[in-house]
Amino acid sequence: MRRFLAAAQLLLPCLLVAQFAMVPAYPDVADQAGRNLPLAWLGGLNAPQFMRADLDGDGLMDLYIFDRGGDAQIALRGDGNGDYRPAPDFLAGFPKDLTNWVLLRDYNSDGIADLFAYSAEFDGFRVHRGYRSAGGMLSFAEDPTYAGLRYPFNNGTIPIFVTSIDYPAVDDLDGDGDLDILTFSVAGGYVEYYRNYSVERGFGTDTLLYELETDCWGGFYESGQTSALDLAPTAGACFGKSLSDTTRVGPRHSGSTVLTLDIDGNGLKDVMLGDISFEQLVLGLNKGDAETAWISAQDTAWQSSGVPVRIPYFPGAYHLDVDDDGKRDLLASPSQTLNAEDVNVGWYYRNTGTDAAPAFVFQDSQYLVRDAIDLGTRGLPAAFDYDADGRPDLVIGNTENYDREGGLNSQLSLYRNTGATNGEASFELIDTDYLDLSRFRASTSAFAPAFGDLDGDGDVDAVIGQRSGQLIYFENLAGPGRPADFADPVFNYMEIDAVQQAKPEVVDLDRDGRNDLVVGGFDGRIRFYRNIGTAGNPRFDPDEQAEGNFLQLGGINTNKPGLSSGHPTPRVITYDDRFLLLTGNRSGTLEAYSFTDYTQPFISLGDTVAGIDLGGYTAPGVGDFDNDGSIELVIGNERGGVTYFRTDLPGEPTTGLFNPDMAGLVFTVFPNPTSGSITLADLPAAPLQRLRVIGSLGQVLYTKQASGVDRLDIDLSALPPGIYTLEVTTSDSRGVRAIQVLPR
């Protein structure tokens, strides 16, 4: 039995009501070798920034990840033994508008992490003080404690500069207990040291008071011409600043990451740098003293003595204890998302030495990713019962998977649903190149799958969107009730063109018995192409202005302010009296629309359903994967992964793709009306027999598996007074009765 205690409302025709409920769930998933993926529904990683903190106040350290891929926030619950599981509820107290880079640091020494984040207003820092909210959750005030970190300049103060693409170091560099800052200068090349004078001036660690201590920390210069640093010859000198005007170094591009750590155990902070032009990390060793840093030796491809980091391009490094052994390890990942590595994004080096004198040993380049569904960039899921066993399976496309040779590796992955007989879904990876689309990689990519019976022969065909905006059609030759057998692909299907990044859906919107095409395009609009053919011979007019077609279905445009594209990914749920259209968008939320007449503007249920924000380029797949009568959503995102949600949306009656018409079932209910309990009698005692109570607006309020019984008592005393629908289904029959719950 599963209840949604805060039952959401669905729709009546032409009536705008509340949004529906969505609850994260984590069905089992196995890879092709049969290995369980404990982080299957993580949502993927592209450019993660790794941090540790006790997010829920239980005394165990958890993992917080900020991913530049869509500015996504990810929380993982730690078990104290180095294992993690998704915990999205841990993010409730975090600011929702974080962008570009984030650091968790405890600047006031109260044992609670504080948050340093990028401020677009100041092109520098904003700082939010952390506190424990109800239940011990780590939370931050909505307004920052410091809207910008500043330092004295001339007769006033100016912000400490950090670009949106850089990643600064916030660390105690002088050993006085408060947090200092290292960041590259406006012109690049030199690292500026902002010393925190809070302790020296008697404020303890509770205040942030910065001064520019030096504009050439460590004496080195990062030219960007090679991965090697230009080093100063002596402590206290600064490379290039003593040269003549004709040889003095000049400005360079922005794009550097900074990590400080004592890697050689001499008590001084060394520096590990990543540059936007190179795939290696550079380690600079500090051989100065407590007052003056001097980077006098370097490893230009760390670790040259072991397995060097290779992240094309722009690596960043993070120093944290991920395996809970009390010694901080090192992780490296990309710091950009455009044309960047998108699977080998977690370079994990375990510390086999001590925390004071570490010895980092390479373990994996896919830390966390290896235990997740991650197809690179932009996961695009769809439900499809490929083996005709009555359980919707999962097909996931992607926009690309990084290729060092410059190719666009788009494919479809097929996950077979091996569960659903006991009310729980489970999946196993069957094929990483379903429909063999990789053979066309030289000419097309960005495969967005959809499935439906286009030719009216009773089996389900495939329609695949692609980068060009055109469609690929695969006719299913199998016939009804048989595993799919697809014919050769038909490219440029019906000459339909959604401009770019087509994302199709197959659905009969005019209810004439012939499935139509709904296609999202990068421009934010959802196009509608009416099927004007006949059974067995579908036909579409590619002219968006043709009679029956629509360039902008329902008036929907998923573009958001400040964005030039919307990338809708429409899915339509068909009910007897209405349609529900769900679509993702570039912004990372889920939009919902109700309509009965596709020719009229749709009723919006909101552009942030259930408050979810998955970080960019959301793409829903819809199906009753666990066979409980309610819809589940698998939602892809920019990072190439997917997340799984249960909902209280009824899964039937639908178009029949997953739930064929069933014979009538007769049973008895008494007392009716009732003030609490009812008895069901004359049930068929079927091996698979499910009961549901549905509210007047369609919400599922009670569900129970009642297999093998002919009589059953249920308690409805928790329901408010009203009229409800009682539904009983078996594998081949369905019956409903209206029941009335009286005031008590």
Side-chain angles (χ1 to χ4, degrees), residues 266-317:
N266 68 350
L268 302 175
K269 295 291 185 178
D270 308 302
V271 66
M272 190 171 284
L273 305 173
D275 185 271
I276 198 169
S277 300
F278 303 103
E279 63 181 27
Q280 305 91 359
L281 288 169
V282 177
L283 172 65
L285 296 174
N286 186 354
K287 303 300 183 181
D289 56 36
E291 292 298 319
T292 304
W294 177 36
I295 302 301
S296 61
Q298 62 182 311
D299 183 346
T300 60
W302 187 88
Q303 26 169 248
S304 58
S305 60
V307 179
V309 169
R310 295 189 65 201
I311 298 177
Y313 286 93
F314 202 8

Side-chain angles (χ1 to χ4, degrees), residues 333-561:
S333 63
S335 293
Q336 69 176 24
T337 58
L338 183 63
N339 299 321
E341 176 64 63
D342 50 12
V343 172
N344 293 290
V345 299
W347 290 68
Y348 170 33
Y349 293 81
R350 185 170 182 265
N351 185 356
T352 60
T354 66
D355 195 60
F360 296 115
V361 178
F362 175 75
Q363 305 294 309
D364 195 358
S365 65
Q366 295 182 21
Y367 177 69
L368 301 182
V369 173
R370 198 173 297 280
D371 290 333
I373 297 173
D374 192 331
L375 278 69
T377 297
R378 299 187 197 169
L380 299 163
F384 170 50
D385 185 7
Y386 89 101
D387 54 1
D389 67 353
R391 297 174 290 197
D393 308 297
L394 185 60
V395 178
I396 308 175
N398 69 334
T399 300
E400 61 190 57
N401 184 326
Y402 178 77
D403 183 347
R404 283 179 175 269
E405 304 303 319
L408 295 173
N409 294 328
S410 295
Q411 297 174 189
L412 298 180
S413 291
L414 171 63
Y415 289 82
R416 179 172 178 260
N417 188 349
T418 58
T421 56
N422 60 352
E424 294 293 338
S426 59
F427 300 90
E428 62 177 355
L429 178 60
I430 299 297
D431 191 344
T432 59
D433 192 13
Y434 188 53
L435 302 182
D436 195 21
L437 290 177
S438 66
R439 58 187 152 149
F440 308 117
R441 70 173 55 181
S443 58
T444 186
S445 62
F447 298 130
F451 300 90
D453 184 4
L454 270 186
D455 54 9
D457 63 355
D459 57 24
V460 178
D461 309 301
V463 181
I464 313 299
Q466 55 179 326
R467 187 179 297 273
S468 67
Q470 299 172 338
L471 304 178
I472 309 170
Y473 172 60
F474 289 83
E475 181 186 357
N476 190 352
L477 306 176
R482 296 182 178 179
D485 178 18
F486 290 109
D488 290 336
V490 176
F491 286 88
N492 193 17
Y493 180 63
M494 297 286 175
E495 298 184 350
I496 289 171
D497 189 348
V499 185
Q500 289 182 37
Q501 303 276 352
K503 300 176 182 66
E505 171 72 327
V506 181
V507 60
D508 182 11
L509 284 195
D510 57 3
R511 298 188 188 265
D512 66 352
R514 299 187 299 268
N515 275 326
D516 310 300
L517 285 172
V518 175
V519 186
F522 90 108
D523 60 358
R525 294 182 286 201
I526 299 175
R527 293 159 172 81
F528 174 72
Y529 300 91
R530 185 171 180 264
N531 189 345
I532 56 176
T534 60
N537 186 29
R539 190 164 69 87
F540 300 90
D541 189 332
D543 183 357
E544 295 156 345
Q545 306 301 325
E547 183 178 359
N549 289 356
F550 284 89
L551 171 62
Q552 193 164 335
L553 180 67
I556 298 171
N557 192 320
T558 61
N559 285 358
K560 298 296 184 292

Side-chain angles (χ1 to χ4, degrees), residues 37 206 233-234 303 333 431 451 542 592 612 623 632 669 681 689:
L37 301 180
D206 198 44
T234 60
Q303 26 169 248
S333 63
D431 191 344
F451 300 90
I612 70 162
E632 285 79 48
V669 179
Q689 184 172 265

